[in-house]
Amino acid sequence: MVDPVGVGSAYRVLAELLSGPVTKQLLERASYSPLLARNIAGVGVDELAAQHHQAFGWAVFAQQGVFMDAGTWEMAHSSRCLMRVYADIAYQCSEDVPADHLSNILGALAHCVSLGARTEEVQWDLLSHHAMRWMPALVSAVQRVGNRFPSAILEQTEDLLRYHLEELTKRGWEPESFQLPAPAIDLDDSETTLGDIADFLVCPARCGIFLSRLDIREAVRVALCSSGFGPRRTMLLASIRTAVKHERLNLLVGAIDDRYRQWISALERRAADGLDRRLVEPW
């Protein structure tokens, strides 16, 4: 049986770490985790806050819809599903971040744990359908940003989620496999536009990889073209257009392909280290 006090407290601290802001008081609470303490020690609050912002506020977005929803215009699907779950357990999610933000999912799990065994089905649903399916992709995306503190937050989060899932499995809840939506883009179709390609590349559930702003910027640097600023789709569309204009599309495609190969290698290493292959193989 999951310890409602210890696990619930851990979920709440991790939820605050994911949503921010990073404060001295929050770091003191987080330092009860040896893993987090090692990545906090000797680093100033401002530097840790900067790492947090670069990873979670600029490069990668810890939202289920960003990773799992099938289209850029359908990003509200995960939020709508989760709002129904939250209503069923009378959980008031934070309005500071979207409903499908990982911090809200962790908050809901903390709430469920405090209610005990009668919420086991909801706990299983939150874990197996709304947290663990995209955690390997989120962890890999943040690790590529290269900052230790945000990576440690996610490593600790994933460890706790896996422990919670294993405890429920012991009580008879069976693990489930899943598949990502089939990629839906035809590059040979004359009606496929550059915008369609950009839409495809910003949806991990369709293209199989999360391309962060950092990834896009690095690919553009290799291809010797420009991406501009703004959301990832805007950056990708601008980079594709300039690559086509200057006949460097092959360089841009090669740079993106390099990132995809790095992504696959990272996931394979994590599977080799013991992460459930049912969570890794769809990616």
Coordinates of all heavy atoms in Angstrom, one line a residue, residues 124-207:
W124 N -4.8 4.8 -10.9 CA -4.4 4.0 -12.0 C -4.5 4.7 -13.4 O -3.7 4.7 -14.2 CB -5.1 2.6 -12.1 CG -4.7 1.8 -13.2 CD1 -5.4 1.5 -14.4 CD2 -3.4 1.1 -13.3 NE1 -4.6 0.7 -15.2 CE2 -3.4 0.4 -14.6 CE3 -2.3 1.0 -12.5 CZ2 -2.4 -0.4 -15.0 CZ3 -1.2 0.2 -13.0 CH2 -1.3 -0.5 -14.2
D125 N -5.7 5.3 -13.5 CA -6.0 6.1 -14.7 C -5.0 7.2 -14.9 O -4.4 7.4 -16.0 CB -7.4 6.6 -14.7 CG -7.8 7.4 -15.9 OD1 -7.4 7.0 -17.0 OD2 -8.4 8.5 -15.8
L126 N -4.8 8.0 -13.8 CA -3.8 9.1 -13.9 C -2.4 8.7 -14.2 O -1.7 9.3 -15.0 CB -3.9 9.9 -12.6 CG -5.1 10.8 -12.3 CD1 -5.1 11.2 -10.9 CD2 -5.1 12.0 -13.3
L127 N -2.0 7.6 -13.6 CA -0.7 7.1 -13.8 C -0.5 6.5 -15.2 O 0.4 6.8 -15.9 CB -0.3 6.0 -12.8 CG 0.0 6.5 -11.3 CD1 -0.1 5.4 -10.3 CD2 1.3 7.2 -11.3
S128 N -1.4 5.5 -15.6 CA -1.1 4.8 -16.8 C -1.6 5.5 -18.1 O -1.0 5.3 -19.1 CB -1.9 3.4 -16.7 OG -3.3 3.6 -16.6
H129 N -2.6 6.4 -17.9 CA -3.1 7.1 -19.1 C -2.6 8.6 -19.2 O -2.6 9.1 -20.3 CB -4.6 7.1 -19.2 CG -5.2 5.7 -19.3 ND1 -6.4 5.3 -18.7 CD2 -4.6 4.6 -19.8 CE1 -6.6 4.1 -18.9 NE2 -5.6 3.6 -19.6
H130 N -2.3 9.2 -18.1 CA -2.0 10.6 -18.1 C -0.7 11.1 -17.6 O -0.3 12.2 -17.6 CB -3.1 11.4 -17.3 CG -4.5 11.2 -17.8 ND1 -4.9 11.8 -19.0 CD2 -5.6 10.5 -17.4 CE1 -6.2 11.5 -19.2 NE2 -6.6 10.7 -18.3
A131 N 0.2 10.1 -17.2 CA 1.5 10.5 -16.7 C 2.6 9.7 -17.4 O 3.5 10.3 -18.0 CB 1.6 10.4 -15.2
M132 N 2.5 8.4 -17.2 CA 3.7 7.6 -17.6 C 3.8 7.4 -19.1 O 5.0 7.2 -19.6 CB 3.5 6.2 -17.0 CG 3.7 6.2 -15.5 SD 5.3 6.8 -14.9 CE 6.5 5.6 -15.6
R133 N 2.8 7.6 -19.9 CA 2.9 7.3 -21.3 C 3.9 8.3 -22.0 O 4.5 8.0 -23.0 CB 1.5 7.4 -22.0 CG 0.7 6.2 -21.7 CD -0.6 6.1 -22.4 NE -1.3 4.9 -22.2 CZ -2.5 4.6 -22.7 NH1 -3.1 5.4 -23.5 NH2 -3.1 3.5 -22.4
W134 N 3.9 9.6 -21.5 CA 4.8 10.6 -22.1 C 6.0 10.9 -21.3 O 6.8 11.8 -21.7 CB 3.9 11.8 -22.5 CG 3.2 12.4 -21.3 CD1 2.1 12.0 -20.7 CD2 3.5 13.7 -20.7 NE1 1.7 12.8 -19.7 CE2 2.5 13.9 -19.7 CE3 4.5 14.7 -20.9 CZ2 2.5 15.0 -18.9 CZ3 4.5 15.8 -20.1 CH2 3.5 16.0 -19.1
M135 N 6.1 10.3 -20.1 CA 7.3 10.6 -19.2 C 8.6 10.3 -19.9 O 9.5 11.1 -19.9 CB 7.2 9.9 -17.9 CG 6.3 10.6 -16.9 SD 7.0 12.3 -16.4 CE 8.5 11.9 -15.7
P136 N 8.8 9.2 -20.6 CA 10.1 8.9 -21.2 C 10.4 10.0 -22.3 O 11.6 10.4 -22.4 CB 9.8 7.6 -21.9 CG 8.8 6.9 -21.1 CD 7.9 8.0 -20.7
A137 N 9.4 10.5 -23.0 CA 9.6 11.5 -24.0 C 10.0 12.8 -23.3 O 10.9 13.5 -23.8 CB 8.4 11.7 -24.9
L138 N 9.3 13.2 -22.3 CA 9.5 14.4 -21.5 C 10.9 14.4 -20.9 O 11.7 15.4 -21.0 CB 8.5 14.6 -20.5 CG 8.7 15.8 -19.5 CD1 8.7 17.1 -20.3 CD2 7.6 15.8 -18.4
V139 N 11.3 13.3 -20.3 CA 12.6 13.2 -19.7 C 13.7 13.3 -20.7 O 14.7 14.1 -20.5 CB 12.8 11.8 -18.9 CG1 14.2 11.6 -18.5 CG2 11.8 11.8 -17.7
S140 N 13.6 12.6 -21.8 CA 14.6 12.7 -22.9 C 14.7 14.1 -23.5 O 15.8 14.6 -23.7 CB 14.2 11.8 -24.0 OG 14.3 10.4 -23.6
A141 N 13.6 14.8 -23.6 CA 13.6 16.2 -24.2 C 14.3 17.1 -23.2 O 15.1 18.0 -23.7 CB 12.1 16.7 -24.4
V142 N 14.0 17.0 -21.9 CA 14.6 17.9 -21.0 C 16.1 17.6 -20.8 O 17.0 18.5 -20.6 CB 13.9 17.9 -19.6 CG1 14.7 18.6 -18.5 CG2 12.5 18.5 -19.8
Q143 N 16.5 16.3 -20.8 CA 17.9 15.9 -20.7 C 18.7 16.5 -21.8 O 19.9 16.9 -21.6 CB 18.0 14.4 -20.7 CG 17.6 13.8 -19.3 CD 17.7 12.3 -19.4 OE1 17.8 11.6 -20.4 NE2 17.8 11.7 -18.2
R144 N 18.1 16.7 -23.0 CA 18.9 17.2 -24.1 C 19.1 18.7 -24.0 O 20.0 19.3 -24.6 CB 18.1 17.0 -25.5 CG 18.2 15.6 -25.9 CD 18.2 15.5 -27.5 NE 17.1 16.3 -28.0 CZ 15.8 16.0 -28.1 NH1 15.4 14.8 -27.5 NH2 15.0 16.8 -28.7
V145 N 18.3 19.4 -23.1 CA 18.6 20.8 -22.8 C 19.9 21.0 -22.1 O 20.6 22.0 -22.3 CB 17.4 21.4 -22.0 CG1 17.7 22.9 -21.6 CG2 16.1 21.3 -22.8
G146 N 20.2 20.0 -21.2 CA 21.6 19.9 -20.7 C 21.7 20.5 -19.3 O 22.9 20.7 -18.8
N147 N 20.6 20.9 -18.6 CA 20.7 21.4 -17.2 C 20.4 20.4 -16.2 O 19.4 19.7 -16.3 CB 19.7 22.6 -17.1 CG 20.1 23.8 -17.9 OD1 21.3 24.1 -18.1 ND2 19.1 24.5 -18.4
R148 N 21.3 20.2 -15.2 CA 21.2 19.2 -14.2 C 20.0 19.3 -13.3 O 19.3 18.2 -13.1 CB 22.5 19.2 -13.3 CG 23.7 18.7 -14.1 CD 24.9 18.9 -13.1 NE 24.7 18.3 -11.8 CZ 25.5 18.6 -10.7 NH1 26.5 19.4 -10.8 NH2 25.2 18.0 -9.6
F149 N 19.6 20.5 -12.9 CA 18.6 20.6 -11.9 C 17.2 20.2 -12.5 O 16.5 19.4 -11.9 CB 18.5 22.0 -11.4 CG 17.4 22.3 -10.4 CD1 17.2 21.6 -9.3 CD2 16.5 23.4 -10.7 CE1 16.2 21.9 -8.4 CE2 15.5 23.7 -9.8 CZ 15.3 22.9 -8.6
P150 N 16.8 20.7 -13.7 CA 15.5 20.2 -14.2 C 15.5 18.7 -14.5 O 14.5 18.1 -14.3 CB 15.4 21.1 -15.5 CG 16.2 22.3 -15.3 CD 17.4 21.8 -14.5
S151 N 16.6 18.2 -15.0 CA 16.7 16.8 -15.3 C 16.5 16.0 -14.0 O 15.9 14.9 -14.0 CB 18.1 16.4 -15.9 OG 18.2 17.0 -17.2
A152 N 17.1 16.5 -12.9 CA 16.9 15.8 -11.6 C 15.5 15.8 -11.1 O 15.0 14.8 -10.5 CB 17.9 16.4 -10.6
I153 N 14.8 16.9 -11.3 CA 13.4 17.0 -11.0 C 12.6 15.9 -11.7 O 11.8 15.2 -11.0 CB 12.8 18.4 -11.3 CG1 13.5 19.5 -10.4 CG2 11.3 18.4 -11.1 CD1 13.1 20.9 -10.8
L154 N 12.8 15.8 -13.0 CA 12.1 14.8 -13.7 C 12.5 13.3 -13.3 O 11.7 12.4 -13.3 CB 12.2 15.0 -15.2 CG 11.5 16.2 -15.8 CD1 11.7 16.3 -17.3 CD2 10.0 16.1 -15.4
E155 N 13.8 13.1 -13.1 CA 14.2 11.8 -12.7 C 13.6 11.4 -11.4 O 13.1 10.3 -11.2 CB 15.8 11.8 -12.5 CG 16.3 10.4 -12.2 CD 17.8 10.4 -12.0 OE1 18.5 11.4 -12.5 OE2 18.4 9.4 -11.5
Q156 N 13.5 12.3 -10.4 CA 12.8 12.0 -9.1 C 11.3 11.8 -9.3 O 10.7 10.9 -8.7 CB 13.1 13.2 -8.2 CG 12.5 12.9 -6.8 CD 13.2 11.8 -6.0 OE1 14.3 12.0 -5.5 NE2 12.7 10.6 -6.0
T157 N 10.7 12.6 -10.2 CA 9.3 12.5 -10.5 C 9.0 11.1 -11.1 O 8.1 10.4 -10.7 CB 8.8 13.6 -11.5 OG1 9.1 14.8 -10.9 CG2 7.4 13.4 -11.8
E158 N 9.8 10.7 -12.1 CA 9.6 9.4 -12.8 C 9.8 8.3 -11.8 O 9.0 7.3 -11.8 CB 10.6 9.3 -14.0 CG 10.3 8.1 -14.8 CD 11.1 8.0 -16.1 OE1 12.3 8.2 -15.9 OE2 10.6 7.7 -17.1
D159 N 10.8 8.4 -10.9 CA 11.0 7.3 -9.9 C 9.8 7.1 -9.0 O 9.4 6.0 -8.7 CB 12.2 7.7 -9.0 CG 13.6 7.4 -9.8 OD1 13.5 6.8 -10.8 OD2 14.6 7.9 -9.2
L160 N 9.2 8.3 -8.6 CA 8.0 8.2 -7.7 C 6.8 7.6 -8.5 O 6.1 6.8 -7.9 CB 7.7 9.6 -7.2 CG 6.5 9.7 -6.2 CD1 6.8 8.8 -5.0 CD2 6.3 11.2 -5.8
L161 N 6.6 8.1 -9.7 CA 5.5 7.5 -10.5 C 5.7 6.0 -10.7 O 4.7 5.3 -10.7 CB 5.4 8.3 -11.9 CG 5.0 9.7 -11.8 CD1 5.2 10.4 -13.2 CD2 3.5 9.9 -11.4
R162 N 6.9 5.6 -11.0 CA 7.1 4.2 -11.3 C 6.9 3.4 -10.0 O 6.3 2.3 -10.0 CB 8.5 3.9 -11.8 CG 8.7 4.4 -13.2 CD 10.2 4.4 -13.6 NE 10.8 3.1 -13.7 CZ 12.0 2.8 -14.0 NH1 12.9 3.8 -14.2 NH2 12.5 1.6 -14.0
Y163 N 7.3 3.9 -8.8 CA 7.1 3.2 -7.6 C 5.5 3.1 -7.3 O 5.0 2.0 -7.0 CB 7.7 4.0 -6.4 CG 7.1 3.7 -5.0 CD1 7.5 2.5 -4.4 CD2 6.2 4.5 -4.4 CE1 6.9 2.2 -3.2 CE2 5.7 4.2 -3.2 CZ 6.0 3.0 -2.6 OH 5.5 2.7 -1.3
H164 N 4.8 4.2 -7.5 CA 3.4 4.2 -7.3 C 2.7 3.2 -8.2 O 1.8 2.4 -7.8 CB 2.8 5.6 -7.6 CG 1.4 5.9 -7.1 ND1 0.9 7.1 -7.0 CD2 0.5 5.0 -6.7 CE1 -0.4 7.0 -6.6 NE2 -0.6 5.7 -6.4
L165 N 3.1 3.2 -9.5 CA 2.5 2.2 -10.5 C 2.8 0.8 -10.1 O 1.9 -0.1 -10.2 CB 3.1 2.5 -11.8 CG 2.4 2.0 -13.1 CD1 1.0 2.5 -13.2 CD2 3.2 2.3 -14.3
E166 N 4.0 0.5 -9.6 CA 4.4 -0.8 -9.2 C 3.5 -1.3 -8.0 O 3.1 -2.5 -7.9 CB 5.9 -0.9 -8.9 CG 6.8 -0.8 -10.1 CD 8.2 -0.6 -9.7 OE1 8.5 -0.5 -8.5 OE2 9.0 -0.5 -10.7
E167 N 3.3 -0.4 -7.1 CA 2.5 -0.7 -5.9 C 1.0 -1.1 -6.3 O 0.4 -2.0 -5.8 CB 2.5 0.5 -4.9 CG 3.8 0.7 -4.2 CD 4.2 -0.5 -3.4 OE1 3.4 -1.0 -2.5 OE2 5.3 -1.1 -3.6
L168 N 0.5 -0.3 -7.3 CA -0.9 -0.6 -7.7 C -0.9 -1.9 -8.5 O -1.9 -2.7 -8.5 CB -1.4 0.5 -8.6 CG -1.7 1.8 -7.9 CD1 -2.2 2.8 -8.9 CD2 -2.8 1.6 -6.8
T169 N 0.2 -2.2 -9.3 CA 0.3 -3.5 -10.0 C 0.2 -4.7 -9.0 O -0.4 -5.7 -9.3 CB 1.6 -3.5 -10.8 OG1 1.6 -2.5 -11.7 CG2 1.7 -4.8 -11.6
K170 N 0.9 -4.5 -7.9 CA 0.9 -5.6 -6.8 C -0.6 -5.8 -6.3 O -0.9 -6.9 -5.8 CB 1.7 -5.2 -5.6 CG 3.2 -5.1 -6.0 CD 4.0 -4.6 -4.7 CE 5.5 -4.4 -5.1 NZ 6.2 -3.9 -3.9
R171 N -1.4 -4.8 -6.5 CA -2.8 -5.0 -6.0 C -3.8 -5.4 -7.1 O -5.0 -5.3 -7.0 CB -3.3 -3.6 -5.4 CG -2.5 -3.3 -4.1 CD -2.9 -1.9 -3.6 NE -4.2 -1.8 -3.2 CZ -4.7 -2.3 -2.0 NH1 -3.9 -2.8 -1.1 NH2 -6.0 -2.2 -1.7
G172 N -3.2 -5.8 -8.3 CA -4.0 -6.4 -9.3 C -4.3 -5.6 -10.5 O -5.0 -6.0 -11.4
W173 N -3.8 -4.3 -10.5 CA -4.0 -3.5 -11.7 C -3.0 -3.8 -12.8 O -1.8 -3.7 -12.5 CB -3.9 -2.0 -11.3 CG -4.9 -1.6 -10.4 CD1 -4.9 -1.6 -9.0 CD2 -6.3 -1.2 -10.7 NE1 -6.1 -1.2 -8.5 CE2 -6.9 -0.9 -9.5 CE3 -6.9 -0.9 -11.9 CZ2 -8.3 -0.4 -9.5 CZ3 -8.2 -0.5 -11.9 CH2 -8.9 -0.2 -10.7
E174 N -3.4 -4.2 -13.9 CA -2.6 -4.7 -15.0 C -2.0 -3.6 -15.8 O -2.7 -2.7 -16.3 CB -3.3 -5.7 -15.9 CG -3.7 -7.0 -15.2 CD -2.5 -7.8 -14.8 OE1 -1.4 -7.8 -15.5 OE2 -2.5 -8.5 -13.8
P175 N -0.7 -3.6 -16.1 CA -0.1 -2.6 -17.0 C -0.7 -2.7 -18.4 O -1.1 -3.8 -18.8 CB 1.4 -3.0 -17.0 CG 1.6 -3.9 -15.8 CD 0.3 -4.6 -15.6
E176 N -0.7 -1.6 -19.1 CA -1.3 -1.5 -20.4 C -0.3 -1.1 -21.4 O 0.5 -0.2 -21.2 CB -2.5 -0.6 -20.4 CG -3.7 -1.1 -19.6 CD -4.8 -0.1 -19.6 OE1 -4.7 0.9 -20.3 OE2 -5.8 -0.3 -18.9
S177 N -0.3 -1.6 -22.6 CA 0.5 -1.1 -23.7 C -0.3 0.0 -24.5 O -1.6 0.1 -24.3 CB 0.8 -2.2 -24.7 OG 1.6 -3.2 -24.1
F178 N 0.3 0.8 -25.3 CA -0.4 1.8 -26.0 C 0.4 2.1 -27.3 O 1.5 1.7 -27.5 CB -0.5 3.1 -25.2 CG 0.8 3.8 -25.0 CD1 1.0 5.0 -25.8 CD2 1.7 3.5 -24.1 CE1 2.2 5.7 -25.7 CE2 2.9 4.2 -23.9 CZ 3.1 5.3 -24.7
Q179 N -0.3 2.7 -28.2 CA 0.4 3.1 -29.5 C 0.1 4.6 -29.7 O -0.9 5.1 -29.4 CB -0.2 2.3 -30.7 CG 0.2 0.8 -30.6 CD 1.7 0.6 -30.7 OE1 2.4 1.3 -31.5 NE2 2.1 -0.4 -30.0
L180 N 1.1 5.3 -30.4 CA 0.9 6.6 -30.8 C 0.1 6.7 -32.1 O 0.0 5.7 -32.8 CB 2.2 7.3 -31.0 CG 3.1 7.5 -29.8 CD1 4.5 8.0 -30.2 CD2 2.5 8.4 -28.8
P181 N -0.6 7.8 -32.4 CA -1.3 7.9 -33.6 C -0.4 7.6 -34.8 O 0.8 8.0 -34.8 CB -1.9 9.3 -33.6 CG -1.9 9.7 -32.2 CD -0.7 9.0 -31.6
A182 N -0.9 7.0 -35.9 CA -0.1 6.8 -37.1 C 0.3 8.2 -37.7 O -0.6 9.0 -37.8 CB -0.8 6.0 -38.1
P183 N 1.5 8.4 -38.1 CA 1.9 9.6 -38.7 C 1.0 9.9 -39.9 O 0.8 9.0 -40.8 CB 3.3 9.4 -39.2 CG 3.8 8.3 -38.3 CD 2.6 7.4 -38.0
A184 N 0.4 11.1 -40.0 CA -0.5 11.4 -41.1 C 0.0 12.6 -41.9 O -0.5 13.7 -41.7 CB -1.9 11.7 -40.5
I185 N 1.0 12.3 -42.7 CA 1.4 13.4 -43.7 C 2.0 12.7 -44.9 O 2.7 11.7 -44.8 CB 2.5 14.3 -43.0 CG1 2.8 15.5 -43.9 CG2 3.7 13.5 -42.7 CD1 3.6 16.5 -43.3
D186 N 1.6 13.2 -46.0 CA 2.1 12.6 -47.3 C 3.0 13.7 -48.0 O 2.4 14.6 -48.6 CB 0.9 12.2 -48.2 CG 1.3 11.5 -49.5 OD1 2.6 11.4 -49.7 OD2 0.5 11.1 -50.2
L187 N 4.3 13.5 -48.0 CA 5.2 14.4 -48.6 C 5.1 14.4 -50.1 O 5.5 15.4 -50.7 CB 6.6 14.2 -48.1 CG 6.9 14.4 -46.6 CD1 8.3 14.0 -46.3 CD2 6.6 15.8 -46.2
D188 N 4.5 13.3 -50.7 CA 4.4 13.3 -52.1 C 3.1 13.9 -52.6 O 2.9 14.1 -53.8 CB 4.5 11.8 -52.6 CG 5.8 11.2 -52.3 OD1 6.8 11.9 -52.5 OD2 5.9 10.0 -52.0
D189 N 2.2 14.3 -51.7 CA 1.0 14.9 -52.1 C 1.3 16.4 -52.5 O 1.8 17.2 -51.7 CB 0.0 14.8 -50.9 CG -1.4 15.3 -51.3 OD1 -1.5 16.1 -52.3 OD2 -2.3 15.0 -50.6
S190 N 0.9 16.8 -53.6 CA 1.1 18.2 -54.1 C 0.4 19.2 -53.2 O 0.8 20.4 -53.3 CB 0.7 18.3 -55.6 OG -0.7 18.1 -55.7
E191 N -0.6 18.8 -52.5 CA -1.3 19.7 -51.6 C -0.7 19.9 -50.2 O -1.2 20.7 -49.4 CB -2.8 19.3 -51.5 CG -3.5 19.4 -52.9 CD -5.0 19.1 -52.7 OE1 -5.5 18.9 -51.6 OE2 -5.7 19.1 -53.7
T192 N 0.3 19.1 -49.9 CA 1.0 19.2 -48.6 C 1.8 20.5 -48.6 O 2.6 20.7 -49.5 CB 1.9 18.0 -48.4 OG1 1.1 16.8 -48.3 CG2 2.6 18.2 -47.1
T193 N 1.6 21.3 -47.6 CA 2.3 22.6 -47.6 C 3.4 22.6 -46.6 O 3.5 21.7 -45.8 CB 1.3 23.7 -47.2 OG1 0.8 23.5 -45.8 CG2 0.0 23.7 -48.1
L194 N 4.2 23.6 -46.6 CA 5.3 23.8 -45.6 C 4.7 23.9 -44.2 O 5.2 23.4 -43.2 CB 6.2 25.0 -45.9 CG 6.9 24.9 -47.2 CD1 7.8 26.2 -47.4 CD2 7.8 23.7 -47.3
G195 N 3.5 24.5 -44.1 CA 2.8 24.6 -42.8 C 2.4 23.3 -42.3 O 2.4 23.0 -41.1
D196 N 1.9 22.4 -43.2 CA 1.6 21.0 -42.8 C 2.8 20.3 -42.3 O 2.7 19.5 -41.3 CB 1.0 20.2 -44.0 CG -0.3 20.8 -44.6 OD1 -1.0 21.4 -43.8 OD2 -0.5 20.6 -45.8
I197 N 3.9 20.5 -42.9 CA 5.2 19.8 -42.4 C 5.5 20.3 -41.0 O 5.9 19.6 -40.1 CB 6.3 20.0 -43.4 CG1 6.0 19.4 -44.7 CG2 7.6 19.5 -42.9 CD1 6.9 19.7 -45.9
A198 N 5.4 21.7 -40.8 CA 5.7 22.3 -39.5 C 4.8 21.7 -38.5 O 5.2 21.4 -37.4 CB 5.7 23.8 -39.6
D199 N 3.5 21.6 -38.8 CA 2.5 21.1 -37.9 C 2.8 19.6 -37.5 O 2.7 19.3 -36.3 CB 1.1 21.0 -38.5 CG 0.5 22.4 -38.6 OD1 0.9 23.3 -37.9 OD2 -0.5 22.6 -39.5
F200 N 3.3 18.9 -38.4 CA 3.7 17.5 -38.2 C 4.9 17.4 -37.2 O 4.9 16.6 -36.3 CB 4.1 16.8 -39.5 CG 4.6 15.4 -39.4 CD1 3.8 14.3 -39.2 CD2 6.0 15.2 -39.5 CE1 4.3 13.1 -39.1 CE2 6.5 13.9 -39.4 CZ 5.6 12.8 -39.2
L201 N 5.9 18.3 -37.5 CA 7.1 18.2 -36.7 C 7.0 18.8 -35.2 O 7.8 18.5 -34.4 CB 8.2 19.0 -37.4 CG 8.7 18.3 -38.7 CD1 9.7 19.3 -39.4 CD2 9.4 17.0 -38.4
V202 N 5.9 19.6 -35.0 CA 5.7 20.0 -33.6 C 4.8 19.1 -32.8 O 4.6 19.4 -31.6 CB 5.2 21.5 -33.5 CG1 6.2 22.5 -34.2 CG2 3.8 21.6 -34.2
C203 N 4.4 18.0 -33.4 CA 3.5 17.1 -32.6 C 4.3 15.8 -32.4 O 4.3 14.9 -33.3 CB 2.2 16.8 -33.4 SG 1.1 18.2 -33.5
P204 N 4.8 15.6 -31.2 CA 5.6 14.4 -30.9 C 4.8 13.1 -31.2 O 5.3 12.1 -31.6 CB 5.9 14.5 -29.4 CG 5.9 16.0 -29.2 CD 4.8 16.6 -30.1
A205 N 3.4 13.2 -30.9 CA 2.6 12.0 -31.1 C 2.5 11.6 -32.5 O 2.2 10.4 -32.9 CB 1.2 12.2 -30.5
R206 N 2.8 12.5 -33.4 CA 2.8 12.2 -34.9 C 4.2 11.9 -35.4 O 4.4 11.0 -36.2 CB 2.2 13.4 -35.6 CG 0.7 13.6 -35.3 CD 0.1 14.8 -36.1 NE 0.1 14.6 -37.5 CZ 0.0 15.5 -38.4 NH1 0.0 16.8 -38.0 NH2 0.0 15.3 -39.7
C207 N 5.2 12.8 -35.1 CA 6.5 12.6 -35.7 C 7.4 11.8 -34.8 O 8.5 11.4 -35.3 CB 7.1 14.0 -35.9 SG 7.7 14.9 -34.5

